[in-house]
Amino acid sequence: MSSAPLLGIIGPFGPAQLACIRSWRRAGYRTAFFQTGGRRVPAGLQRLTDAYRFYPAGTALDEILDKVAQECVRLQVAGLAALSESLALKLHERQRAGDFGATTLMLNTPELYEVLESKSRQVELARQAGLPVMPTHVLDRGSELSGVAGPLVLRPDITRLVRPSFKVKLVATAAEAVAVARAMTTPEGRIVAQPFVAGPNLVIHAARAADGSWDHHEAFCTSIKSAGLAVALQPYALPAGLLEACRRFEQAAGLRGVFHYDFILNPETGEAFFLEVNPRLGGTTAKVYAAGYDEPAMLPAAFFQPGAHRVDLDRPRNASVSRIAAVRYGLSLLREAPSVLDHPPRRNPRAFGQLAKALLLHRDEVFRLTDVVGNSAYLLQTKS
């Protein structure tokens, strides 16, 4: 039996989870996948990992964590990761109660999640760190908002406290923003309102050692996005001033492990404005891995290799894409013009040419000629 450390990830089967499994195996680790929901991977494909466990949708979370904790002891799992912040908090809670005792949770601390749960608190920390931020207004059910021109982007300040729930809303006027705030059914809910900027996003993926001894940052621009979500990314030169401000933010907040910033780029001025930081692996993890930045390998390095990281940073950087998302976006453009949340904001031969180039030439976030098993296992999930 191999003596290589065993790293595990818990959650649904998605591009980020597959990227972690591929990356960790490439780095010489053994891997375990504790899949929650979706379709069970067929027996013939279970050699995707060294240990595969499936927990059907509808299984109580506490029951799942009981079984995962037992498996972590039996398998001697060295490190465990999760994408969901709520699941991360639950894992910390169980570890404090005595579970997962010998397993390092490759996660940020509960205190960090509590601080960054509030979008307005994030904006304040970003401002203090010197990151460029847009004018920000926080609304509750009794708020007024005068002297503010639209359009505005609305986000929940703390997502779990806002009902009806939503992720992002675009409104044309301050009066509409106030109406959304007054329609909340939760008295403790608050909404963050910022000016709307139509442009690509700048995503900065970063890693920082648990002891703060090293960090690394790489930037990517969303060359194509649909409904605000990245379809295609390309490497972007990270300005030194922005990098130093990010480091000040991380030190003040206490970030560790891997995380990523989301900025909006003003296409006219080139300015990048802070939107949020996600203290975990996320929706663009697989894309930056395909682009050449091995974020999944940075995660165990941050927790198990203090003092110096031994992750290959010399791989060439490429543009990357989700071909599934690109095809869906292309089909939607044939039916209707792009929305204000799409980029590029046009429907013409140049836009279709850009999409075709991404489909033909960019590296896909999932599909690899060298990993037929991983491709097949992922395709089964998309049919759920």
Side-chain angles (χ1 to χ4, degrees), residues 54-90:
F54 176 73
Y55 309 97
T59 308
L61 179 58
D62 282 333
E63 181 182 344
I64 291 174
L65 293 182
D66 284 340
K67 293 178 179 178
V68 173
Q70 293 167 12
E71 288 295 281
C72 283
V73 171
R74 190 180 70 81
L75 297 170
Q76 298 182 354
V77 174
L80 183 65
L83 271 70
S84 162
E85 290 166 38
S86 59
L87 179 54
L89 287 169
K90 193 71 174 178

Side-chain angles (χ1 to χ4, degrees), residues 11 84 181 213 218 239 248 292 301 308 324 329 344 355 377:
S84 162
S213 60
E218 294 213 17
R248 289 192 292 270
I324 291 176
Y329 181 48
L355 193 59

